[in-house]
Amino acid sequence: MSGPADTKPTPMILIGDQVTDDPYLTNFVDTVRAENSRLPAAQRIAYLLCTEYDDFAVSLKRPRDTVRLILVGPHYEGRPDMLARLLGTETPVILALDPNVRSFAKNPDDNRRILESLEAIGSIMVQAEDATADFYRPFIQNHVVAGLSSTLDLS
Protein backbone atom coordinates (compact mmCIF):
# COMPACT_ATOMS: atom_id res chain seq x y z
CA MET A 1 0.00 0.00 0.00
CA SER A 2 1.36 3.41 -0.87
CA GLY A 3 0.68 6.58 1.01
CA PRO A 4 1.75 10.22 1.08
CA ALA A 5 5.24 9.27 2.29
CA ASP A 6 5.75 7.28 -0.93
CA THR A 7 5.07 10.21 -3.27
CA LYS A 8 7.97 12.24 -4.59
CA PRO A 9 7.63 16.00 -4.96
CA THR A 10 6.90 17.33 -8.43
CA PRO A 11 10.22 18.07 -10.15
CA MET A 12 10.72 21.77 -10.82
CA ILE A 13 12.77 23.71 -13.34
CA LEU A 14 13.46 27.37 -12.65
CA ILE A 15 13.90 29.67 -15.64
CA GLY A 16 15.53 33.03 -15.08
CA ASP A 17 14.53 35.25 -17.96
CA GLN A 18 11.85 37.47 -19.42
CA VAL A 19 8.97 36.10 -21.47
CA THR A 20 10.24 36.08 -25.06
CA ASP A 21 9.72 34.05 -28.17
CA ASP A 22 13.46 33.63 -28.65
CA PRO A 23 14.27 30.14 -29.95
CA TYR A 24 16.53 29.18 -26.99
CA LEU A 25 13.55 29.64 -24.63
CA THR A 26 10.85 28.15 -26.84
CA ASN A 27 13.11 25.15 -27.57
CA PHE A 28 13.52 24.61 -23.83
CA VAL A 29 9.79 24.84 -23.06
CA ASP A 30 8.95 22.60 -26.03
CA THR A 31 11.45 20.01 -24.78
CA VAL A 32 9.93 20.05 -21.29
CA ARG A 33 6.46 19.67 -22.80
CA ALA A 34 7.63 16.72 -24.92
CA GLU A 35 9.04 15.01 -21.81
CA ASN A 36 5.82 15.75 -19.92
CA SER A 37 3.78 14.06 -22.64
CA ARG A 38 5.63 10.83 -21.79
CA LEU A 39 5.18 11.10 -18.03
CA PRO A 40 2.21 10.14 -15.87
CA ALA A 41 0.26 13.21 -14.73
CA ALA A 42 1.52 12.92 -11.15
CA GLN A 43 5.16 13.06 -12.29
CA ARG A 44 5.01 15.87 -14.84
CA ILE A 45 7.70 18.51 -14.71
CA ALA A 46 6.71 21.97 -13.52
CA TYR A 47 8.60 25.07 -14.57
CA LEU A 48 8.55 28.56 -13.19
CA LEU A 49 9.68 31.73 -14.91
CA CYS A 50 11.64 33.96 -12.54
CA THR A 51 12.24 37.43 -13.95
CA GLU A 52 14.41 38.62 -11.05
CA TYR A 53 16.35 37.25 -8.10
CA ASP A 54 13.48 37.74 -5.64
CA ASP A 55 11.44 35.26 -7.68
CA PHE A 56 14.23 32.70 -7.28
CA ALA A 57 14.40 33.33 -3.54
CA VAL A 58 10.67 32.69 -3.14
CA SER A 59 10.74 29.58 -5.34
CA LEU A 60 13.67 28.14 -3.39
CA LYS A 61 11.52 27.88 -0.29
CA ARG A 62 10.37 24.59 -1.84
CA PRO A 63 12.14 21.41 -0.75
CA ARG A 64 15.67 21.49 -2.19
CA ASP A 65 15.30 18.18 -4.02
CA THR A 66 12.34 19.60 -5.94
CA VAL A 67 14.40 22.07 -8.01
CA ARG A 68 16.31 19.88 -10.43
CA LEU A 69 17.53 22.28 -13.13
CA ILE A 70 17.96 26.02 -13.64
CA LEU A 71 18.07 27.80 -17.00
CA VAL A 72 19.17 31.44 -17.06
CA GLY A 73 18.67 33.34 -20.29
CA PRO A 74 20.28 36.54 -21.53
CA HIS A 75 17.22 38.68 -20.72
CA TYR A 76 17.32 37.86 -16.99
CA GLU A 77 17.24 41.14 -15.06
CA GLY A 78 19.65 40.09 -12.30
CA ARG A 79 23.23 38.89 -12.33
CA PRO A 80 23.25 35.45 -13.95
CA ASP A 81 26.84 34.85 -12.87
CA MET A 82 25.97 35.43 -9.20
CA LEU A 83 22.90 33.24 -9.51
CA ALA A 84 25.01 30.42 -10.97
CA ARG A 85 27.54 30.75 -8.14
CA LEU A 86 24.86 30.72 -5.44
CA LEU A 87 22.65 27.95 -6.80
CA GLY A 88 24.91 25.93 -9.06
CA THR A 89 26.62 24.00 -6.30
CA GLU A 90 23.51 21.88 -5.68
CA THR A 91 21.53 22.22 -8.91
CA PRO A 92 22.77 22.20 -12.52
CA VAL A 93 22.66 25.67 -14.08
CA ILE A 94 22.48 26.24 -17.83
CA LEU A 95 23.38 29.75 -18.98
CA ALA A 96 22.06 30.65 -22.44
CA LEU A 97 24.45 33.34 -23.66
CA ASP A 98 23.80 36.02 -26.26
CA PRO A 99 26.49 38.72 -26.47
CA ASN A 100 24.11 40.85 -28.55
CA VAL A 101 21.77 41.07 -25.55
CA ARG A 102 24.29 41.22 -22.69
CA SER A 103 27.70 40.12 -21.53
CA PHE A 104 28.93 39.70 -17.98
CA ALA A 105 31.45 42.54 -18.22
CA LYS A 106 32.14 45.43 -20.56
CA ASN A 107 35.80 44.54 -20.85
CA PRO A 108 36.28 41.41 -23.03
CA ASP A 109 39.08 40.10 -20.79
CA ASP A 110 36.91 40.44 -17.68
CA ASN A 111 34.02 38.76 -19.49
CA ARG A 112 36.29 35.86 -20.51
CA ARG A 113 37.51 35.45 -16.90
CA ILE A 114 33.94 35.37 -15.59
CA LEU A 115 32.95 32.75 -18.19
CA GLU A 116 35.99 30.64 -17.30
CA SER A 117 35.20 30.83 -13.58
CA LEU A 118 31.59 29.80 -14.24
CA GLU A 119 32.76 26.86 -16.30
CA ALA A 120 35.17 25.90 -13.49
CA ILE A 121 32.29 25.61 -11.00
CA GLY A 122 30.30 23.43 -13.39
CA SER A 123 27.92 25.90 -15.02
CA ILE A 124 26.79 24.74 -18.44
CA MET A 125 27.09 27.47 -21.03
CA VAL A 126 25.56 27.51 -24.47
CA GLN A 127 25.24 30.21 -27.07
CA ALA A 128 21.53 31.00 -27.33
CA GLU A 129 21.58 30.21 -31.05
CA ASP A 130 22.88 26.68 -30.29
CA ALA A 131 20.32 25.93 -27.57
CA THR A 132 18.16 23.43 -29.46
CA ALA A 133 15.88 20.66 -28.23
CA ASP A 134 18.74 18.21 -28.92
CA PHE A 135 20.97 20.26 -26.60
CA TYR A 136 18.40 20.46 -23.77
CA ARG A 137 16.97 16.93 -23.92
CA PRO A 138 19.85 15.13 -22.12
CA PHE A 139 19.87 17.68 -19.28
CA ILE A 140 16.13 17.40 -18.77
CA GLN A 141 16.23 13.61 -18.95
CA ASN A 142 19.32 13.17 -16.74
CA HIS A 143 18.65 15.82 -14.11
CA VAL A 144 14.87 16.09 -14.02
CA VAL A 145 13.21 12.94 -15.35
CA ALA A 146 15.80 10.43 -14.12
CA GLY A 147 14.76 8.85 -10.87
CA LEU A 148 11.05 9.65 -11.21
CA SER A 149 10.20 6.09 -12.17
CA SER A 150 12.20 3.04 -13.07
CA THR A 151 9.55 2.13 -15.67
CA LEU A 152 9.99 5.18 -17.91
CA ASP A 153 11.52 4.77 -21.34
CA LEU A 154 13.92 7.71 -21.76
CA SER A 155 15.03 6.88 -25.28
Side-chain angles (χ1 to χ4, degrees):
M1 175 179 273
S2 66
D6 296 333
T7 61
K8 291 186 179 185
T10 301
M12 172 74 68
I13 297 173
L14 301 180
I15 303 171
D17 213 343
Q18 301 296 313
V19 176
T20 69
D21 62 354
D22 290 352
Y24 73 90
L25 188 54
T26 57
N27 288 339
F28 187 81
V29 171
D30 289 348
T31 305
V32 172
R33 287 180 179 158
E35 291 302 319
N36 273 343
S37 72
R38 297 168 40 186
L39 294 170
Q43 294 182 325
R44 293 210 172 122
I45 305 162
Y47 52 94
L48 179 64
L49 185 69
C50 302
T51 58
E52 55 190 39
Y53 185 78
D54 289 346
D55 297 334
F56 274 100
V58 169
S59 64
L60 289 172
K61 290 182 179 180
R62 302 170 187 279
R64 269 306 215 196
D65 64 341
T66 302
V67 178
R68 305 266 181 90
L69 185 65
I70 298 170
L71 169 67
V72 183
H75 301 285
Y76 174 65
E77 290 295 324
R79 289 197 43 208
D81 56 324
M82 187 61 66
L83 191 64
R85 290 179 208 294
L86 290 172
L87 303 176
T89 57
E90 296 179 23
T91 307
V93 176
I94 299 173
L95 297 163
L97 307 175
D98 186 343
N100 296 318
V101 175
R102 78 179 306 166
S103 56
F104 293 110
K106 292 180 181 178
N107 178 307
D109 289 334
D110 291 341
N111 193 63
R112 181 185 47 74
R113 276 192 290 278
I114 291 169
L115 291 171
E116 287 172 355
S117 70
L118 290 170
E119 186 175 28
I121 63 169
S123 296
I124 302 142
M125 288 170 279
V126 62
Q127 292 299 313
E129 64 194 29
D130 297 328
T132 63
D134 288 337
F135 171 80
Y136 290 128
R137 191 173 298 108
F139 294 105
I140 293 169
Q141 289 178 345
N142 295 333
H143 296 287
V144 184
V145 177
L148 290 178
S149 172
S150 59
T151 60
L152 295 177
D153 177 15
L154 300 179
S155 58

